[in-house]
Amino acid sequence: MTPPAATPDYGDLALVLTGGGARAAYQVGLLRYLAREFPELRIPILTGVSAGAINAAHLAQHHGTFPQAVEELTGLWSELMPERVFRVDPMSLARNMARWGAKLVSGGERNVRVRGLVDTAPLREFLEEALAPVGGELTGIDYNLHRESLRALAISTTSYTTGQSFVWVQGRDIVTWERPQRRSVHTRLRVEHIMASAALLSFSRPCSWMMSGMVTGASV
């Protein structure tokens, strides 16, 4: 069996931002330290999963310097409240719980569309405000790729129907790979990729912009 071709290694610095809301907030603290101590720092390869995908996407597509990107990211996290992630009003929660109850009582036979215990529409609104996509696409990534301040951004997700992990990559000189239950896909990243990575199975609404829904990604 011929091993897959490797993406060329140019010795670039890479940063992996893991999932978990608290961890992602701690990441911002570390990034602030790095920006303060190493203002000229350049991190051309970024990868993130779940809440870490939000941080990675922000850094990858910001048009300014590393300290400027971190400062803006700090402001975003300081404004982030539960109601900006999912609907927490009693009516929305009760409506979703009633749908789940009807689905469970009927044994799944009733035609009740259930996508998650909470409505994550506020998270999409937050991301569209924070990342300023154009037609859903994160155009700042392409901008930074062309000016060579960025080499690649990778976002991890998992298909809840197959259990297969996907790593969505946008970058230069990318060689895709495939392994058992894991594969990479070279694409143009969109808000939907971040939403898919941040989704939690059953709790929040999985992203269904592909034939199989995507939920928070596994490390690969």
Side-chain angles (χ1 to χ4, degrees):
M1 182 177 178
T2 303
T7 298
D9 183 358
Y10 298 110
D12 290 330
L13 182 64
L15 180 63
V16 179
L17 298 173
T18 59
R23 289 195 189 97
Y26 301 155
Q27 290 167 8
V28 176
L30 174 61
L31 290 169
R32 291 186 69 188
Y33 170 81
L34 293 175
R36 183 174 64 251
E37 296 298 319
F38 308 98
E40 302 302 320
L41 182 64
R42 177 174 165 269
I43 308 176
I45 301 175
L46 294 158
T47 180
V49 59
S50 193
I54 298 174
N55 291 344
H58 176 85
L59 295 175
Q61 75 146 18
H62 196 278
H63 288 198
T65 64
F66 179 64
Q68 289 171 340
V70 172
E71 187 63 28
E72 189 172 310
L73 186 60
T74 302
L76 293 175
W77 274 95
S78 67
E79 299 172 0
L80 191 59
M81 305 293 287
E83 55 268 25
R84 298 211 69 183
V85 178
F86 48 79
R87 299 197 190 283
V88 295
D89 60 283
M91 183 64 71
S92 295
L93 294 176
R95 186 183 304 114
N96 282 340
M97 289 300 295
R99 289 173 179 167
W100 271 99
K103 194 77 170 179
L104 292 172
V105 169
S106 67
E109 294 181 359
R110 290 188 57 181
N111 187 24
V112 180
R113 188 175 185 182
V114 180
R115 300 300 303 277
L117 288 178
V118 294
D119 181 355
T120 54
L123 177 59
R124 176 179 288 277
E125 294 172 4
F126 173 78
L127 291 177
E128 289 181 346
E129 176 185 324
L131 301 176
V134 177
E137 186 177 318
L138 304 180
T139 55
I141 298 173
D142 201 43
Y143 172 82
N144 286 328
L145 287 172
H146 278 90
R147 69 172 184 162
E148 299 187 352
S149 62
L150 178 70
R151 185 172 159 219
L153 170 64
I155 302 297
S156 297
T157 65
T158 299
S159 167
Y160 68 77
T161 56
T162 66
Q164 186 176 24
S165 295
F166 290 81
V167 181
W168 308 92
V169 187
Q170 182 173 351
R172 295 179 281 113
D173 303 320
I174 299 300
V175 178
T176 58
W177 50 265
E178 185 167 0
R179 298 170 189 151
Q181 286 296 94
R182 294 179 293 173
R183 60 176 296 207
S184 66
V185 181
H186 197 192
T187 188
R188 297 182 72 85
L189 291 168
R190 304 173 57 85
V191 170
E192 285 84 352
H193 292 93
I194 313 303
M195 287 291 295
S197 187
L200 292 174
L201 184 57
S202 296
F203 182 71
S204 62
R205 177 175 179 170
C207 184
S208 60
W209 50 277
M210 289 186 65
M211 290 186 66
S212 58
M214 294 286 168
V215 294
T216 189
S219 297
V220 293

